[in-house]
């Protein structure tokens, strides 16, 4: 029986194929289509935006080359999970939002999940109220690990407003940025500058000068030097605030009984008019304000995704005939510190949670145990070194040197130099039942300051929380400090002498922890 009439091959019309005839070669398979990068699912907000395109453009105060942002966008568009962290003060913590899911971090994470959904995204808010960059500079690696993809940094409101770049405040801020930028995963780092109209002293309209305070202008210089984006709420919406545009009004706030820094009473906005106003109080944005901040941050991801999909050269007009691209600076690592003489090595210690246990190198009567063993989490169990009787002692040993100092690198002994002392932040439990006091003494290597030598673990509050005891030590490779339980009662005498130590941070840059009584608890829970 012969073969059937040949039929044209669908992929090669000139060749005839007889699929059932063994003498006729099979029709070749069609060539695979070239791989095309998967476009983002939805390059828009998962809610009705409050900002216009022009306002978003104004708010992008610096973008730079976008190299790290495009790498982040490529990972998202490839359908891979990312790790994103927000680091900052009370605005990042969510202050002013009616509930956590309305704060700007949660809003930003909502945008990421809606646009590039993945069950393994790790999107974590590490905000701590009232905190400057110092505590993060000490604990950055413990907070974000070694492989984050995106880091949002928000400290403009809490940083010193106008400091020389050579001051310890600006040196510490640069150290934080360098620690983040040096991480092996090469994360995209974004600065977010919040603007508080009623804390910008001057006469923009009664208050609210555009250029006060100076911190934003100074911190943006770091973005320019390190090629990392900055978004500015002030740049995006200041003119609307000044003109009293509905939705951006600042003459009323959502919360009641609020005053400006100069003591002027701020009227509470009626509920039916709330959508006309921006601030919850004199400092923090309300729900609308948090949403606008999230939109500014999301716009940088949208921009990077568009560049990654279309070719970033299109953004600057490749047809204009620019010079060929040179070898990227990133191949040589970070540039040297912007601030002359600033250290380029880790200079701080953050020993917290499990990492604190080995810091105690000798003890008598102290025991490493949980204050609340019935709790589910390690943080909730409040583990620490505890002494219960007068005379019990524990010795902590740590390196208090600033390894970036030329004198330290040369091996010079600075143990008698108080001008170069280090700040020690010793975290302990403070409670209302059974707690007492302890003496703090340097016993080897370093010297302790005269202030802060008595640790008091007592108070009236009906709660047991972690608190921070601050003192100064001179620099030494093996600074040894002894904590000894005292028989004397604390400010609130109690039946007991218990002293529980839970963590230690050592920094050569100022760490400000003043606003909330439970800040040590917040730090511990986020590391």
């Amino acid at each position: 029986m012969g073969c059937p009439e040949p039929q044209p091959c669908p992929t090669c019309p000139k060749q005839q194929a007889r699929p059932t005839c063994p003498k006729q070669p099979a029709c070749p398979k069609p060539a695979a289509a070239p791989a095309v990068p998967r476009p983002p699912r939805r390059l828009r907000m998962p809610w009705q935006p409050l900002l216009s395109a022009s306002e978003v453009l104004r708010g992008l105060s610096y973008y730079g080359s976008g190299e790290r942002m495009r790498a982040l966008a490529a990972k998202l568009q490839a359908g891979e999970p990312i790790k994103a962290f927000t680091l900052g003060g009370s605005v990042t913590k969510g202050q002013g939002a009616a509930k956590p899911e309305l704060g700007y971090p949660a809003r930003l994470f909502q945008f990421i999940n809606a646009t590039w959904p993945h069950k393994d995204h790790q999107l974590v808010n590490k905000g701590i109220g009232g905190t400057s960059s110092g505590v993060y500079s000490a604990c950055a690696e413990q907070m974000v690990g070694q492989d984050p993809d995106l880091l949002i940094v928000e400290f403009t409101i809490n940083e010193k407003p106008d400091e020389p770049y050579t001051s310890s405040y600006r040196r510490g801020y640069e150290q934080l940025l360098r620690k983040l930028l040096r991480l092996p995963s090469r994360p995209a780092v974004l600065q977010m500058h919040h603007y508080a109209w009623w804390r910008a002293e001057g006469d923009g309209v009664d208050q609210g000068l555009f250029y006060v305070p100076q911190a934003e202008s100074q911190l943006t210089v770091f973005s320019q030097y390190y090629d990392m984006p900055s978004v500015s709420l002030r740049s995006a919406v200041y003119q609307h605030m000044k003109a009293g545009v509905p939705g951006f009004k600042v003459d009323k706030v959502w919360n009641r009984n609020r005053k400006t820094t100069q003591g002027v009473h701020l009227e509470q906005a009626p509920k039916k008019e709330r959508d006309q106003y921006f601030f919850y109080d004199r400092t923090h944005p309300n729900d609308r304000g948090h949403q606008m901040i999230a939109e500014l941050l999301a716009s940088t991801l949208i921009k990077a995704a568009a560049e990654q999909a279309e070719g970033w050269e299109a953004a600057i007009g490749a047809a204009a005939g620019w010079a060929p691209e040179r070898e990227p600076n990133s191949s040589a690592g970070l540039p040297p510190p912007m601030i002359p003489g600033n250290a380029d090595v880790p200079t701080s210690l953050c020993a917290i949670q499990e990492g604190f246990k080995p810091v105690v190198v000798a003890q008598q009567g102290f025991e490493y145990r949980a204050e609340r063993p019935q709790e589910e989490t390690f943080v909730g169990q409040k583990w620490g070194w505890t002494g219960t009787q007068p005379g019990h002692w524990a010795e902590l040993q740590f390196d208090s040197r600033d390894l970036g100092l030329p004198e330290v690198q040369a091996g010079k002994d600075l143990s008698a130099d108080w001008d170069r002392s280090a700040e020690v932040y010793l975290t302990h439990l403070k409670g209302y039942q059974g707690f007492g006091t302890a003496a703090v003494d340097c016993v080897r290597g370093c010297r302790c300051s005269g202030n802060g030598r008595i640790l008091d673990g007592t108070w009236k509050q009906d709660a047991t929380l972690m608190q921070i005891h601050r003192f100064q030590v001179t620099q030494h490779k093996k600074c040894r400090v002894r904590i000894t339980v005292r028989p004397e009662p604390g400010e609130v005498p109690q039946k007991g002498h218990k002293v529980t130590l839970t963590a230690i941070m050592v920094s050569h840059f100022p760490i400000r922890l003043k606003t909330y009584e439970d800040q040590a608890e917040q730090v511990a829970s986020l590391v």
Side-chain angles (χ1 to χ4, degrees):
M1 186 173 178
C3 291
E5 285 297 317
Q7 299 295 323
C9 175
T11 59
C12 38
K14 294 182 179 180
Q15 181 181 353
Q16 289 184 330
R18 296 179 177 179
T20 60
C21 181
K23 296 180 181 180
Q24 179 72 26
C27 179
K29 295 181 179 180
V36 178
R38 187 170 74 177
R41 175 173 291 188
R42 192 178 182 215
L43 285 178
R44 57 183 302 175
M45 300 298 108
W47 58 77
Q48 183 62 41
L50 296 174
L51 293 178
S52 68
S54 62
E55 290 154 2
V56 165
L57 288 172
R58 284 179 59 91
L60 185 55
S61 58
Y62 185 81
Y63 185 73
S65 71
E67 177 190 356
R68 294 196 183 198
M69 291 296 298
R70 285 191 298 277
L72 170 66
K75 190 170 184 178
L76 286 167
Q77 291 187 216
E80 299 178 29
I82 67 165
K83 296 180 180 179
F85 298 86
T86 52
L87 314 177
S90 56
V91 176
T92 297
K93 185 174 182 287
Q95 191 74 18
K99 45 189 176 181
E101 53 265 38
L102 296 179
Y104 90 78
R107 285 284 204 173
L108 176 64
F109 298 158
Q110 181 187 352
F111 163 75
I112 293 173
N113 275 322
T115 309
W116 300 281
H118 200 291
K119 64 181 180 62
D120 293 326
H121 283 325
Q122 294 183 33
L123 310 173
V124 185
N125 182 4
K126 295 281 188 176
I128 303 173
T131 304
S132 63
S133 61
V135 67
Y136 291 88
S137 182
C139 299
E141 295 90 345
Q142 290 87 347
M143 286 189 171
V144 304
Q146 293 296 304
D147 59 347
D149 299 290
L150 172 63
L151 299 168
I152 309 296
V153 180
E154 177 269 314
F155 294 108
T156 306
I157 290 295
N158 288 347
E159 288 297 300
K160 283 276 190 174
D162 188 8
E163 285 287 307
Y165 281 103
T166 52
S167 72
S168 58
Y169 291 93
R170 295 294 183 259
R171 288 177 62 231
Y173 189 83
E174 183 179 32
Q175 275 299 300
L176 170 62
L177 296 180
R178 292 184 68 83
K179 281 188 175 185
L180 300 179
L181 291 166
R182 275 201 307 263
L183 290 171
S185 59
R186 301 192 73 249
V189 181
L190 278 72
Q191 290 195 102
M192 193 284 281
H193 301 302
H194 178 55
Y195 179 71
W197 175 276
W198 291 106
R199 288 179 59 181
E201 295 181 2
D203 189 14
V205 175
D206 295 329
Q207 209 145 323
L209 275 177
F210 183 83
Y211 53 85
V212 175
Q214 296 286 349
E216 176 174 339
S217 302
Q218 292 188 337
L219 300 186
T220 299
V221 172
F222 288 111
S223 277
Q224 297 163 346
Y225 185 79
Y226 287 108
D227 188 25
M228 58 185 186
S230 280
V231 298
S232 168
L233 181 67
R234 180 181 69 180
S235 296
V237 303
Y238 173 85
Q239 298 298 346
H240 298 332
M241 290 180 174
K242 185 174 181 179
V245 174
F248 303 89
K249 291 183 176 182
V250 296
D251 56 310
K252 295 179 183 178
V253 296
W254 281 17
N255 200 7
R256 62 180 179 178
N257 299 326
R258 297 288 123 179
K259 293 183 178 180
T260 70
T261 53
Q262 297 178 344
V264 178
H265 175 74
L266 290 174
E267 186 178 347
Q268 185 180 24
K271 286 188 177 181
K272 63 180 180 180
E273 299 177 7
R274 279 190 163 190
D275 61 352
Q276 297 188 35
Y277 297 92
F278 186 91
F279 287 104
Y280 173 79
D281 53 27
R282 74 180 185 190
T283 300
H284 304 98
N286 55 32
D287 295 345
R288 293 174 54 83
H290 275 281
Q291 179 177 325
M292 292 182 200
I293 292 172
E295 290 173 10
L296 288 174
L297 292 168
S299 74
T300 64
L301 297 179
I302 292 174
K303 177 178 174 63
E307 290 179 352
Q308 196 277 333
E310 301 171 10
W312 70 273
E313 297 90 345
I316 59 169
W322 303 106
E325 285 299 314
R326 281 166 274 276
E327 192 70 22
N329 292 332
S330 58
S331 62
L334 287 181
M338 188 186 81
I339 302 171
N342 204 6
D344 198 26
V345 292
T347 58
S348 303
L349 167 71
C350 180
I352 204 164
Q353 298 178 9
E354 295 92 335
F356 177 63
K357 183 178 180 180
V359 175
V360 174
V361 295
Q363 56 81 26
Q364 181 174 303
F366 269 73
E367 177 186 4
Y368 189 71
R369 71 186 195 192
E371 177 73 11
R372 295 178 178 175
Q374 71 278 8
E375 295 291 329
E376 295 183 1
T377 66
F378 186 91
V379 173
Q381 292 170 357
K382 301 184 187 297
W383 282 84
W385 285 97
T386 298
T388 58
Q389 299 297 325
H392 286 179
W393 57 265
E395 290 186 357
L396 290 67
Q397 184 168 294
F398 50 89
D399 192 341
S400 62
R401 297 175 301 166
D402 181 344
L403 300 178
L405 287 177
E407 295 90 336
V408 171
Q409 295 172 355
K412 183 178 179 180
D413 181 9
L414 298 180
S415 59
D417 188 351
W418 282 108
D419 291 334
R420 300 178 185 270
S421 60
E423 298 281 348
V424 178
Y425 302 84
L426 181 61
T427 302
H428 63 99
L429 291 184
K430 203 173 182 74
Y432 62 102
Q433 287 183 336
F435 286 87
T437 64
V440 180
D441 298 291
C442 289
V443 294
R444 190 181 304 171
C446 57
R447 302 182 185 182
C448 287
S449 66
N451 297 326
R453 300 290 292 278
I454 302 299
L455 181 153
D456 189 350
T458 70
W459 62 6
K460 294 181 180 179
Q461 292 193 51
D462 188 11
T464 300
L465 300 174
M466 284 185 278
Q467 294 292 286
I468 289 179
H469 178 75
R470 175 179 172 180
F471 59 98
Q472 290 180 312
V473 299
T474 56
Q475 296 193 38
H476 196 274
K477 183 178 181 179
K478 294 183 178 180
C479 178
R480 196 148 173 161
V481 175
R482 175 178 287 191
I483 311 298
T484 307
V485 179
R486 303 166 70 240
E488 293 82 3
E491 182 180 357
V492 181
Q494 300 175 12
K495 292 182 179 180
H497 303 279
K498 182 169 61 177
V499 171
T500 297
L501 313 174
T502 59
I504 187 172
M505 291 181 287
V506 181
S507 177
H508 301 91
F509 310 109
I511 295 178
R512 186 171 66 207
L513 292 167
K514 295 180 180 178
T515 303
Y516 297 105
E517 292 180 331
D518 61 344
Q519 277 188 322
E521 194 100 15
Q522 295 178 50
V523 173
S525 67
L526 294 174
V527 173

